[in-house]
Amino acid sequence: MKRILLLGGVAEALALARRLGPEHVYSLAGLGKVPDDLDCQVRVGGYGGAEGLARFIADQGIGLLVDATHPYAAQISLNAAAAAGMAGVPCWALRRPGWQAGPDDDWRNVADWAGLIEALKAFRRPFFTLGREPLEHLQEIPPQQHWTVRCLQGQPAGERYEVIGARGPFSLDGERDLFRRLRSDVLISKNSGSQSTEPKLQVARELGLPVLILERPKLPAVTREFESVESLWQALATYLETP
């Protein structure tokens, strides 16, 4: 019996998990909502690094590891590639393309958090859509700035910040209303390439707002890479059907 271990973290991973049977495993880190309507097994939590993941692969008789984690979850992807090598199984990865700036976009790439803070000095009301990382720096907000942070879980507002708990997909009209309320003068985003969060970029374009883009991390080489759910699923179907 061929068993697949699917490491999730993006909406496309859930779409794949919905097609997997009960012998396969869908693995989540535990952040956000855990699906309870899948035919496949669901595992929540870490493995203890690459070595722990390799032991799980061997103990469970996994024949193929599929990395469908977030493009910025670099450590998980590194562990996945290393664990597959230790366990002697192939590692496939869903690597969706990033967004591309258009002629009316004002995108400014930053390499890391320090570069981002430096680039933000000229602005007053930044809108962060990076996940939880800005929450670690709320006590460092410059006196002249007010931050808005959107992530999965909200929290009470402070004197110079607001934390919005929300999960995509986000509509274009909803994003327009939010930008209007926030009066933000700059958007901060990862280049996730997700269609569900792309409307914020269109609104920034319409308003002429600059967008600070946190550069993608370098991800490890794997056995096979796929840019779309359908191309990956076709390969998985062929893998499962091959004796």
Side-chain angles (χ1 to χ4, degrees):
M1 179 178 63
K2 294 183 176 180
R3 301 192 73 197
I4 295 170
L5 174 58
L6 171 62
L7 304 181
V10 292
E12 292 90 337
L14 181 56
L16 288 169
R18 295 194 184 282
R19 304 184 188 187
L20 296 178
E23 66 272 27
H24 307 295
V25 183
Y26 181 42
S27 177
L28 294 167
L31 301 175
K33 183 180 179 181
V34 177
D36 58 3
D37 59 347
L38 302 179
D39 291 333
C40 64
Q41 302 171 42
V42 178
R43 185 188 185 280
V44 179
Y47 293 90
E51 294 81 4
L53 179 54
R55 285 193 298 272
F56 181 87
I57 291 170
D59 292 345
Q60 297 296 317
I62 301 297
L64 173 62
L65 178 63
V66 179
D67 177 11
T69 58
H70 195 278
Y72 285 76
Q75 188 58 56
I76 299 176
S77 292
L78 287 168
N79 288 344
M86 295 176 196
V89 302
C91 180
W92 296 359
L94 178 64
R95 302 270 172 86
R96 65 189 181 197
W99 296 309
Q100 298 296 319
D104 297 326
D105 289 311
D106 179 7
W107 290 12
R108 309 173 190 182
N109 290 334
V110 292
D112 51 26
W113 182 262
L116 174 59
I117 292 303
E118 180 66 26
L120 279 176
K121 286 183 176 180
F123 300 99
R124 295 293 179 266
R125 299 187 66 85
F127 178 25
F128 291 86
T129 59
L130 295 173
R132 296 184 55 82
E133 184 174 9
L135 302 184
E136 302 172 7
H137 303 274
L138 294 180
Q139 303 309 313
E140 306 168 15
I141 300 175
Q144 76 277 12
Q145 289 186 349
H146 183 280
W147 289 10
T148 300
V149 179
R150 183 166 68 189
C151 53
L152 290 180
Q153 295 180 333
Q155 67 180 52
E159 182 180 355
R160 294 201 303 276
Y161 64 84
E162 175 183 359
V163 180
I164 301 172
R167 177 189 299 271
F170 300 104
S171 70
L172 184 56
D173 287 341
E175 294 291 72
R176 285 171 174 150
D177 291 342
L178 179 61
F179 274 69
R180 189 178 302 113
R181 179 179 73 79
L182 296 178
R183 296 181 290 112
S184 298
D185 54 358
V186 62
L187 172 67
I188 304 98
S189 175
K190 294 176 178 176
N191 191 350
S192 70
S194 171
Q195 293 182 355
S196 68
T197 58
E198 191 171 6
K200 63 186 177 184
L201 299 174
Q202 180 170 338
V203 176
R205 185 183 308 121
E206 293 172 354
L207 297 175
L209 298 182
V211 183
L212 303 184
I213 300 285
L214 187 64
E215 296 175 356
R216 283 190 171 192
K218 182 176 177 57
L219 299 178
V222 292
T223 312
R224 294 183 67 179
E225 291 187 10
F226 302 85
E227 291 189 352
S228 70
V229 169
E230 286 308 315
S231 62
L232 174 51
W233 176 249
Q234 289 174 11
L236 288 174
T238 301
Y239 166 80
L240 292 172
E241 293 169 0
T242 303

